[in-house]
Amino acid sequence: MDDTIILPPSIEDIPPPGLALVEELDKMLLVQLRDGRKIIGTLRSFDQFANLVLSDSRERIIVGEQYAEIPLGLHVVRGENVVLLGELDASREPPPGLQLVSEEVIKQAQRAEREAEKLKGTLRSRFEFLDE
């Protein structure tokens, strides 16, 4: 049995808050927002509140097996809306197993998906009396 003692990192080894984003500057990132949207762009700047400036950004919308990317250009993302972010793997772009479609097609698919969810909720509410 190994008697090696593992110590926590010293305070000098822990980077100050906010410096983790420095390593992501000028890299292509995918940013997941609180409202579920996914923004892809190159990180150009950030501040102490994790507000992000993304250049050449686009919103990626995925519905089923289809996806579309809607150009946004230079985009500012408020830090409180960021759920997670990470560098995109260029070797996995475009996403495997998904078909690229136009903006109009993906918007139609989104509307159909929302309508289906709305109908599903309506049907559930009609049968709630069975749960009592």
Side-chain angles (χ1 to χ4, degrees), residues 54-84:
L54 302 172
S55 67
D56 304 319
S57 63
R58 55 201 185 272
E59 179 181 0
R60 180 174 286 171
I61 301 173
I62 301 172
V63 178
E65 300 290 317
Q66 299 176 328
Y67 80 100
E69 293 186 348
I70 300 167
L72 302 173
L74 187 66
H75 200 71
V76 177
V77 179
R78 192 172 169 131
E80 67 182 21
N81 291 321
V82 175
V83 174
L84 61 89

mmCIF file of all heavy atoms in Angstrom, residues 54-84:
data_model
loop_
_atom_site.group_PDB
_atom_site.id
_atom_site.type_symbol
_atom_site.label_atom_id
_atom_site.label_comp_id
_atom_site.label_asym_id
_atom_site.label_seq_id
_atom_site.Cartn_x
_atom_site.Cartn_y
_atom_site.Cartn_z
ATOM 1 N N LEU A 54 -17.973 38.317 -28.258
ATOM 2 C CA LEU A 54 -17.691 37.274 -29.236
ATOM 3 C C LEU A 54 -17.734 37.882 -30.637
ATOM 4 O O LEU A 54 -18.689 38.586 -30.978
ATOM 5 C CB LEU A 54 -18.729 36.160 -29.145
ATOM 6 C CG LEU A 54 -18.864 35.455 -27.796
ATOM 7 C CD1 LEU A 54 -20.069 34.525 -27.806
ATOM 8 C CD2 LEU A 54 -17.610 34.690 -27.464
ATOM 9 N N SER A 55 -16.715 37.594 -31.433
ATOM 10 C CA SER A 55 -16.727 38.061 -32.819
ATOM 11 C C SER A 55 -17.095 36.903 -33.735
ATOM 12 O O SER A 55 -16.948 35.738 -33.362
ATOM 13 C CB SER A 55 -15.369 38.644 -33.208
ATOM 14 O OG SER A 55 -14.385 37.643 -33.229
ATOM 15 N N ASP A 56 -17.557 37.247 -34.931
ATOM 16 C CA ASP A 56 -17.979 36.240 -35.911
ATOM 17 C C ASP A 56 -18.924 35.221 -35.279
ATOM 18 O O ASP A 56 -18.824 34.023 -35.535
ATOM 19 C CB ASP A 56 -16.767 35.519 -36.520
ATOM 20 C CG ASP A 56 -15.784 36.484 -37.138
ATOM 21 O OD1 ASP A 56 -16.238 37.436 -37.797
ATOM 22 O OD2 ASP A 56 -14.561 36.290 -36.963
ATOM 23 N N SER A 57 -19.819 35.700 -34.428
ATOM 24 C CA SER A 57 -20.670 34.777 -33.684
ATOM 25 C C SER A 57 -21.895 34.376 -34.494
ATOM 26 O O SER A 57 -22.296 35.049 -35.439
ATOM 27 C CB SER A 57 -21.093 35.392 -32.348
ATOM 28 O OG SER A 57 -21.870 36.535 -32.568
ATOM 29 N N ARG A 58 -22.457 33.253 -34.102
ATOM 30 C CA ARG A 58 -23.671 32.723 -34.714
ATOM 31 C C ARG A 58 -24.416 31.905 -33.677
ATOM 32 O O ARG A 58 -23.810 31.332 -32.777
ATOM 33 C CB ARG A 58 -23.345 31.897 -35.951
ATOM 34 C CG ARG A 58 -22.359 30.774 -35.707
ATOM 35 C CD ARG A 58 -21.696 30.325 -37.001
ATOM 36 N NE ARG A 58 -20.853 29.176 -36.787
ATOM 37 C CZ ARG A 58 -19.576 29.228 -36.432
ATOM 38 N NH1 ARG A 58 -19.005 30.382 -36.228
ATOM 39 N NH2 ARG A 58 -18.882 28.136 -36.271
ATOM 40 N N GLU A 59 -25.738 31.880 -33.824
ATOM 41 C CA GLU A 59 -26.555 31.069 -32.933
ATOM 42 C C GLU A 59 -26.803 29.734 -33.608
ATOM 43 O O GLU A 59 -27.202 29.673 -34.770
ATOM 44 C CB GLU A 59 -27.899 31.748 -32.657
ATOM 45 C CG GLU A 59 -28.789 30.929 -31.755
ATOM 46 C CD GLU A 59 -30.138 31.580 -31.480
ATOM 47 O OE1 GLU A 59 -30.392 32.675 -31.987
ATOM 48 O OE2 GLU A 59 -30.935 30.956 -30.754
ATOM 49 N N ARG A 60 -26.537 28.662 -32.900
ATOM 50 C CA ARG A 60 -26.785 27.318 -33.430
ATOM 51 C C ARG A 60 -28.105 26.823 -32.845
ATOM 52 O O ARG A 60 -28.264 26.733 -31.635
ATOM 53 C CB ARG A 60 -25.661 26.360 -33.061
ATOM 54 C CG ARG A 60 -25.904 24.948 -33.598
ATOM 55 C CD ARG A 60 -24.734 24.034 -33.371
ATOM 56 N NE ARG A 60 -23.658 24.365 -34.296
ATOM 57 C CZ ARG A 60 -22.441 23.856 -34.234
ATOM 58 N NH1 ARG A 60 -22.135 22.990 -33.283
ATOM 59 N NH2 ARG A 60 -21.515 24.191 -35.101
ATOM 60 N N ILE A 61 -29.024 26.496 -33.747
ATOM 61 C CA ILE A 61 -30.332 25.974 -33.343
ATOM 62 C C ILE A 61 -30.399 24.526 -33.796
ATOM 63 O O ILE A 61 -30.167 24.232 -34.970
ATOM 64 C CB ILE A 61 -31.468 26.791 -33.983
ATOM 65 C CG1 ILE A 61 -31.368 28.254 -33.558
ATOM 66 C CG2 ILE A 61 -32.818 26.206 -33.592
ATOM 67 C CD1 ILE A 61 -32.341 29.165 -34.273
ATOM 68 N N ILE A 62 -30.718 23.641 -32.860
ATOM 69 C CA ILE A 62 -30.814 22.212 -33.159
ATOM 70 C C ILE A 62 -32.232 21.752 -32.862
ATOM 71 O O ILE A 62 -32.749 21.980 -31.760
ATOM 72 C CB ILE A 62 -29.812 21.400 -32.320
ATOM 73 C CG1 ILE A 62 -28.381 21.862 -32.606
ATOM 74 C CG2 ILE A 62 -29.969 19.904 -32.587
ATOM 75 C CD1 ILE A 62 -27.337 21.268 -31.694
ATOM 76 N N VAL A 63 -32.852 21.129 -33.864
ATOM 77 C CA VAL A 63 -34.181 20.539 -33.693
ATOM 78 C C VAL A 63 -34.113 19.146 -34.299
ATOM 79 O O VAL A 63 -33.932 18.992 -35.499
ATOM 80 C CB VAL A 63 -35.283 21.369 -34.388
ATOM 81 C CG1 VAL A 63 -36.630 20.691 -34.220
ATOM 82 C CG2 VAL A 63 -35.324 22.781 -33.848
ATOM 83 N N GLY A 64 -34.248 18.134 -33.453
ATOM 84 C CA GLY A 64 -34.161 16.758 -33.933
ATOM 85 C C GLY A 64 -32.797 16.471 -34.540
ATOM 86 O O GLY A 64 -31.772 16.663 -33.901
ATOM 87 N N GLU A 65 -32.794 16.050 -35.793
ATOM 88 C CA GLU A 65 -31.551 15.720 -36.506
ATOM 89 C C GLU A 65 -31.077 16.869 -37.384
ATOM 90 O O GLU A 65 -30.159 16.705 -38.178
ATOM 91 C CB GLU A 65 -31.768 14.472 -37.381
ATOM 92 C CG GLU A 65 -32.174 13.238 -36.602
ATOM 93 C CD GLU A 65 -31.049 12.693 -35.744
ATOM 94 O OE1 GLU A 65 -29.906 12.639 -36.228
ATOM 95 O OE2 GLU A 65 -31.311 12.340 -34.579
ATOM 96 N N GLN A 66 -31.715 18.028 -37.269
ATOM 97 C CA GLN A 66 -31.373 19.170 -38.111
ATOM 98 C C GLN A 66 -30.788 20.291 -37.269
ATOM 99 O O GLN A 66 -31.106 20.423 -36.087
ATOM 100 C CB GLN A 66 -32.619 19.696 -38.828
ATOM 101 C CG GLN A 66 -33.271 18.700 -39.739
ATOM 102 C CD GLN A 66 -34.548 19.256 -40.335
ATOM 103 O OE1 GLN A 66 -35.244 20.050 -39.714
ATOM 104 N NE2 GLN A 66 -34.838 18.835 -41.558
ATOM 105 N N TYR A 67 -29.948 21.112 -37.912
ATOM 106 C CA TYR A 67 -29.445 22.293 -37.233
ATOM 107 C C TYR A 67 -29.223 23.407 -38.247
ATOM 108 O O TYR A 67 -29.099 23.172 -39.446
ATOM 109 C CB TYR A 67 -28.156 22.001 -36.454
ATOM 110 C CG TYR A 67 -26.898 21.964 -37.293
ATOM 111 C CD1 TYR A 67 -26.046 23.057 -37.327
ATOM 112 C CD2 TYR A 67 -26.549 20.841 -38.043
ATOM 113 C CE1 TYR A 67 -24.888 23.030 -38.096
ATOM 114 C CE2 TYR A 67 -25.399 20.807 -38.792
ATOM 115 C CZ TYR A 67 -24.569 21.910 -38.821
ATOM 116 O OH TYR A 67 -23.427 21.888 -39.573
ATOM 117 N N ALA A 68 -29.221 24.626 -37.739
ATOM 118 C CA ALA A 68 -28.930 25.795 -38.560
ATOM 119 C C ALA A 68 -28.080 26.740 -37.728
ATOM 120 O O ALA A 68 -28.130 26.711 -36.491
ATOM 121 C CB ALA A 68 -30.211 26.487 -39.000
ATOM 122 N N GLU A 69 -27.302 27.549 -38.410
ATOM 123 C CA GLU A 69 -26.494 28.553 -37.730
ATOM 124 C C GLU A 69 -26.889 29.919 -38.275
ATOM 125 O O GLU A 69 -26.789 30.171 -39.476
ATOM 126 C CB GLU A 69 -25.010 28.265 -37.917
ATOM 127 C CG GLU A 69 -24.614 26.992 -37.194
ATOM 128 C CD GLU A 69 -23.124 26.713 -37.206
ATOM 129 O OE1 GLU A 69 -22.390 27.367 -37.964
ATOM 130 O OE2 GLU A 69 -22.721 25.822 -36.448
ATOM 131 N N ILE A 70 -27.357 30.784 -37.386
ATOM 132 C CA ILE A 70 -27.829 32.112 -37.758
ATOM 133 C C ILE A 70 -26.741 33.120 -37.392
ATOM 134 O O ILE A 70 -26.370 33.240 -36.223
ATOM 135 C CB ILE A 70 -29.144 32.436 -37.029
ATOM 136 C CG1 ILE A 70 -30.183 31.389 -37.416
ATOM 137 C CG2 ILE A 70 -29.604 33.838 -37.333
ATOM 138 C CD1 ILE A 70 -31.402 31.389 -36.567
ATOM 139 N N PRO A 71 -26.191 33.836 -38.381
ATOM 140 C CA PRO A 71 -25.102 34.784 -38.112
ATOM 141 C C PRO A 71 -25.555 35.933 -37.206
ATOM 142 O O PRO A 71 -26.642 36.485 -37.392
ATOM 143 C CB PRO A 71 -24.714 35.305 -39.492
ATOM 144 C CG PRO A 71 -25.568 34.632 -40.483
ATOM 145 C CD PRO A 71 -26.567 33.791 -39.774
ATOM 146 N N LEU A 72 -24.728 36.262 -36.218
ATOM 147 C CA LEU A 72 -25.006 37.358 -35.294
ATOM 148 C C LEU A 72 -23.957 38.467 -35.386
ATOM 149 O O LEU A 72 -24.185 39.563 -34.912
ATOM 150 C CB LEU A 72 -25.068 36.837 -33.854
ATOM 151 C CG LEU A 72 -26.085 35.747 -33.553
ATOM 152 C CD1 LEU A 72 -25.891 35.226 -32.135
ATOM 153 C CD2 LEU A 72 -27.489 36.259 -33.750
ATOM 154 N N GLY A 73 -22.781 38.151 -35.928
ATOM 155 C CA GLY A 73 -21.704 39.142 -36.009
ATOM 156 C C GLY A 73 -21.034 39.336 -34.658
ATOM 157 O O GLY A 73 -20.842 38.390 -33.898
ATOM 158 N N LEU A 74 -20.710 40.592 -34.332
ATOM 159 C CA LEU A 74 -20.109 40.919 -33.040
ATOM 160 C C LEU A 74 -21.222 40.878 -32.001
ATOM 161 O O LEU A 74 -22.253 41.533 -32.159
ATOM 162 C CB LEU A 74 -19.468 42.301 -33.089
ATOM 163 C CG LEU A 74 -18.665 42.707 -31.865
ATOM 164 C CD1 LEU A 74 -17.433 41.817 -31.731
ATOM 165 C CD2 LEU A 74 -18.250 44.157 -31.969
ATOM 166 N N HIS A 75 -21.036 40.093 -30.942
ATOM 167 C CA HIS A 75 -22.115 39.840 -29.988
ATOM 168 C C HIS A 75 -21.588 39.990 -28.570
ATOM 169 O O HIS A 75 -20.526 39.462 -28.243
ATOM 170 C CB HIS A 75 -22.644 38.418 -30.223
ATOM 171 C CG HIS A 75 -24.005 38.172 -29.690
ATOM 172 N ND1 HIS A 75 -25.139 38.708 -30.233
ATOM 173 C CD2 HIS A 75 -24.417 37.430 -28.634
ATOM 174 C CE1 HIS A 75 -26.192 38.302 -29.551
ATOM 175 N NE2 HIS A 75 -25.779 37.534 -28.575
ATOM 176 N N VAL A 76 -22.337 40.694 -27.734
ATOM 177 C CA VAL A 76 -21.996 40.841 -26.320
ATOM 178 C C VAL A 76 -22.951 39.969 -25.516
ATOM 179 O O VAL A 76 -24.162 40.050 -25.687
ATOM 180 C CB VAL A 76 -22.104 42.304 -25.857
ATOM 181 C CG1 VAL A 76 -21.809 42.426 -24.364
ATOM 182 C CG2 VAL A 76 -21.155 43.191 -26.649
ATOM 183 N N VAL A 77 -22.401 39.122 -24.658
ATOM 184 C CA VAL A 77 -23.200 38.231 -23.817
ATOM 185 C C VAL A 77 -23.022 38.659 -22.372
ATOM 186 O O VAL A 77 -21.897 38.737 -21.878
ATOM 187 C CB VAL A 77 -22.764 36.754 -23.983
ATOM 188 C CG1 VAL A 77 -23.582 35.852 -23.075
ATOM 189 C CG2 VAL A 77 -22.872 36.320 -25.431
ATOM 190 N N ARG A 78 -24.117 38.944 -21.717
ATOM 191 C CA ARG A 78 -24.063 39.325 -20.303
ATOM 192 C C ARG A 78 -23.677 38.107 -19.468
ATOM 193 O O ARG A 78 -24.242 37.017 -19.627
ATOM 194 C CB ARG A 78 -25.414 39.876 -19.881
ATOM 195 C CG ARG A 78 -25.371 40.542 -18.538
ATOM 196 C CD ARG A 78 -26.671 41.236 -18.279
ATOM 197 N NE ARG A 78 -26.710 41.635 -16.890
ATOM 198 C CZ ARG A 78 -27.035 42.826 -16.470
ATOM 199 N NH1 ARG A 78 -27.374 43.752 -17.330
ATOM 200 N NH2 ARG A 78 -27.048 43.098 -15.192
ATOM 201 N N GLY A 79 -22.724 38.276 -18.572
ATOM 202 C CA GLY A 79 -22.172 37.169 -17.801
ATOM 203 C C GLY A 79 -23.186 36.383 -17.011
ATOM 204 O O GLY A 79 -23.079 35.161 -16.872
ATOM 205 N N GLU A 80 -24.227 37.046 -16.487
ATOM 206 C CA GLU A 80 -25.211 36.335 -15.672
ATOM 207 C C GLU A 80 -26.052 35.368 -16.493
ATOM 208 O O GLU A 80 -26.734 34.509 -15.937
ATOM 209 C CB GLU A 80 -26.120 37.319 -14.940
ATOM 210 C CG GLU A 80 -27.016 38.115 -15.847
ATOM 211 C CD GLU A 80 -27.872 39.114 -15.083
ATOM 212 O OE1 GLU A 80 -27.523 39.481 -13.955
ATOM 213 O OE2 GLU A 80 -28.903 39.507 -15.640
ATOM 214 N N ASN A 81 -26.002 35.475 -17.825
ATOM 215 C CA ASN A 81 -26.772 34.576 -18.685
ATOM 216 C C ASN A 81 -25.975 33.358 -19.132
ATOM 217 O O ASN A 81 -26.530 32.462 -19.758
ATOM 218 C CB ASN A 81 -27.290 35.332 -19.908
ATOM 219 C CG ASN A 81 -28.338 36.340 -19.530
ATOM 220 O OD1 ASN A 81 -29.172 36.079 -18.673
ATOM 221 N ND2 ASN A 81 -28.278 37.499 -20.134
ATOM 222 N N VAL A 82 -24.700 33.317 -18.824
ATOM 223 C CA VAL A 82 -23.857 32.206 -19.255
ATOM 224 C C VAL A 82 -24.013 31.035 -18.292
ATOM 225 O O VAL A 82 -23.821 31.175 -17.088
ATOM 226 C CB VAL A 82 -22.370 32.630 -19.321
ATOM 227 C CG1 VAL A 82 -21.475 31.446 -19.653
ATOM 228 C CG2 VAL A 82 -22.190 33.748 -20.335
ATOM 229 N N VAL A 83 -24.387 29.884 -18.841
ATOM 230 C CA VAL A 83 -24.482 28.667 -18.040
ATOM 231 C C VAL A 83 -23.144 27.939 -18.096
ATOM 232 O O VAL A 83 -22.606 27.527 -17.078
ATOM 233 C CB VAL A 83 -25.621 27.750 -18.544
ATOM 234 C CG1 VAL A 83 -25.628 26.424 -17.802
ATOM 235 C CG2 VAL A 83 -26.952 28.450 -18.406
ATOM 236 N N LEU A 84 -22.638 27.756 -19.305
ATOM 237 C CA LEU A 84 -21.326 27.134 -19.468
ATOM 238 C C LEU A 84 -20.732 27.565 -20.791
ATOM 239 O O LEU A 84 -21.424 28.052 -21.677
ATOM 240 C CB LEU A 84 -21.406 25.611 -19.381
ATOM 241 C CG LEU A 84 -22.250 24.861 -20.407
ATOM 242 C CD1 LEU A 84 -21.429 24.511 -21.626
ATOM 243 C CD2 LEU A 84 -22.800 23.600 -19.782
#
